[in-house]
Amino acid sequence: MSAITDQITAAKIPVGDAAETAVTWLQINAGWLFDTISDALNALIDGVTFSIESIGPIGMTILFTALTYALQRSVKRCLIVALGMLFIINQGYWDRTIETLSLILVSCIVCMGAGVPLGIATARRKWLYTVVEPVLDLMQTLPPFVYLIPAVIFFGLGQVPGLIATVIFALPASIRLTHLGISSTPMALTEAATAFGATPMQRLVKVELPSAFPQIMVGLNQTIMLSLSMVVIATLVGAGGLGQPVLNGLNRMQPDLGFESGFVIVALATILRVMLEVRKA
Amino acid sequence: MNTRPPPRTAVEFDRVSIVFGDRPDLALPLMDQGRTRSDIQSATAQILGVHDCTLSVAEGEILVLMGLSGSGKSTLLRGVNGLNPVVRGEVRVRDGDHMTSITNADPATLRRLRLSNIAMVFQQFGLLPWRSVRENVGLGLELAGQSPAQRTVAVDAQLALVNLSQWADRKVGELSGGMQQRVGLARAFVTNAPILLMDEPFSALDPLIRAHLQDELLELQKSLHRTIIFVSHDLDEAFKLGNRIALMDGGRIVQCGTAREIIANPVSDYVADFVAHMNPMAVLTARDVMQPGDDAAPQSVDAETPVLQIMEMIRDGATTLAVTDGGARIGTLTPAHVMGRLVNPRG
Ligand SMILES: Nc1ncnc2c1ncn2[C@@H]1O[C@H](COP(=O)(O)OP(=O)(O)O)[C@@H](O)[C@H]1O
Ligand SMILES: [Mg+2]
């Protein structure tokens, strides 16, 4: 190697060492915290899974179709949703779908529960957004496999590390879209509310959130799609779900397994998108 | 005789200055030297909003703030409900039997005054598009904590007053501009706030609708007797609606008075230019166009005789007219002098 590159590599910046030290330190000192988080998330996932299981495949088909009608008022969309559900059941992937659907629903709960307040907070404080923005970029560009490693170290194998990885990947969307929605509320509207005596809280609830609602719903939609795109990766750490047949197919070189569950994933994505899409009035 | 007490003050601007920027202290000394906005902006990067505006508005009065775009009308108006903070001086508003400072009010007082004393109508309406007409009109009452059941009666009565009852459950986006501004008016009237701020409320509407809404406003005012501060850049509108008019230029009030006072005695070329296109015949009287003095003349007219009527007498052959006020002769009219005053009121 040339003298110059020798010089550059001479004092290597200890990125890897620092990460390892941090992970070890956290493992020793914050183990109780990870255990608590793990227990809470597990309980949440179990609850959602149990609910879907008790409603059953036909019940869920009816529920989703009815929900689609309530939100979209379109028979065409209802038809797409119903046919999609029947296709999933038809392929014999209902149990796998329950696991994936639970993971996605909990991911949505966590992402919206954290993303909307964070989006509001960053819309209020410019400095906070300048701090948060690069972190969001990092979350979206860092390859998921990288944070999968500490996720497994902290939470063990199972659905929780899969969920954590999914949330890290999907959370920026809801923060960004809430931020956009709140900060693009027309000044004329917030001022009118102020002029009629609104407190900051009233302004948020009665003007900014309704005005940002379409963007927040787009955020929810993106959260769902991004979570779905993590299905296979989540399977790698033992989360099960529709990614499992894909991995099995890959290991055994069985294209049928891959395509079957691949199309089931596409069907699920389509159902959720058609059901929740926000259209301009 | 039936003598009413003189009306009380409803809004008081006490040497109000408003500066946009974070260092108003740099701009104020330059403003006091009478420097212009662009001067001050290049010297200090602060923007002069308004400077040293003093004005008091009586209860039940319609005062129009008038001037070219950028003259500071909106800025001054928004000082009244604290949308723009006053950096020096003070705005006070009537609050029961005393005046309360808006400028130095704590947040709770400011909120109380906004809920119950001061309402506002905006040029771009400022209605919430996802809400129905009824929900928009009820906004102020809702913010004050009234339940839907409590506010229905007042809201529906107000909707009837502006002829929008059939539209109550529509979304505001379905309404025309003129109807949307009637919603804006109803929203401002329904809180019973005695002070109304109107920032060019009719400017976004086409002329016919505008004239119609002006008439409606005057009609409503006959029964509601609110104190109205009305911003306009349209002279006809100002003269039609205003009991008094404050003319603004470059962030300063240059003249304030009735239409007649301003047309008869414009204080500067800016004001004279502004009123040059007004028809003075509609507002001036004998007193405004006479030559003072006690000359004998065969015919006499009262000082408050409209100029139009005097022109008719001149057309019919009168050459000299004596002007009387309560029996006393106070001046004379000659055709040449009347013409002179009409052509150039400052002459
Ligand atoms: N929020 C603001 N920030 C900075 N400058 C402003 C702001 N609002 C108004 N101005 C400036 O103050 C001046 C007066 O504006 P304004 O009161 O809106 O005028 P008008 O209503 O008479 O047209 C203008 O030069 C305008 O650019
Ligand atoms: Mg304006």
Side-chain angles (χ1 to χ4, degrees), chain B residues 4 16 37 41 45 51 102 108 123-124 136 150 171 197 222 224 257-258 265 271 294 299 309 318 333 337:
Chain B
R4 284 194 217 157
V16 170
R37 178 180 293 140
Q41 192 176 354
H51 175 226
I102 288 285
Q123 178 171 6
Q124 298 303 337
N136 265 287
Q150 285 175 306
K171 291 266 182 296
L197 309 178
K222 269 187 205 161
L224 299 175
T258 62
N265 288 302
V271 180
D294 177 15
Q299 259 181 308
Q309 211 170 319
L333 288 169
H337 195 70

Side-chain angles (χ1 to χ4, degrees), chain B residues 129-290:
Chain B
W130 56 87
R131 287 186 168 211
S132 70
V133 168
R134 181 181 279 120
E135 291 165 339
N136 265 287
V137 172
L139 179 70
L141 302 176
E142 179 185 335
L143 293 173
Q146 289 194 12
S147 70
Q150 285 175 306
R151 54 185 193 256
T152 313
V153 176
V155 167
D156 286 354
Q158 199 58 55
L159 281 172
L161 216 54
V162 295
N163 290 318
L164 283 175
S165 299
Q166 309 93 299
W167 298 82
D169 295 310
R170 303 290 192 91
K171 291 266 182 296
V172 286
E174 297 174 47
L175 275 60
S176 68
M179 290 167 103
Q180 291 195 27
Q181 196 55 300
R182 294 223 294 272
V183 177
L185 287 173
R187 177 175 71 177
F189 276 117
V190 79
T191 65
N192 274 323
I195 299 166
L196 278 185
L197 309 178
M198 306 190 135
D199 194 350
E200 307 210 25
F202 307 143
S203 301
L205 309 174
D206 56 50
L208 266 172
I209 307 284
R210 188 186 314 158
H212 190 70
L213 280 183
Q214 289 162 354
D215 294 335
E216 280 190 16
L217 176 63
L218 287 174
E219 200 55 41
L220 284 171
Q221 172 69 352
K222 269 187 205 161
S223 52
L224 299 175
H225 304 298
R226 305 288 165 86
T227 304
I228 300 178
I229 307 182
F230 190 107
V231 167
S232 176
H233 65 260
D234 173 2
L235 198 71
D236 291 312
E237 180 172 71
F239 284 0
K240 177 171 172 182
L241 298 177
N243 300 115
R244 277 187 312 148
I245 293 155
L247 263 159
M248 299 191 63
D249 180 22
R252 299 178 170 97
I253 294 177
V254 290
Q255 187 170 10
C256 180
T258 62
R260 183 179 142 192
E261 284 162 3
I262 291 174
I263 291 184
N265 288 302
V267 295
S268 68
D269 290 337
Y270 173 82
V271 180
D273 281 347
F274 227 107
V275 298
H277 303 291
M278 275 315 283
N279 180 357
M281 306 266 248
V283 288
L284 297 187
T285 69
R287 188 193 299 279
D288 302 313
V289 293
M290 70 184 189

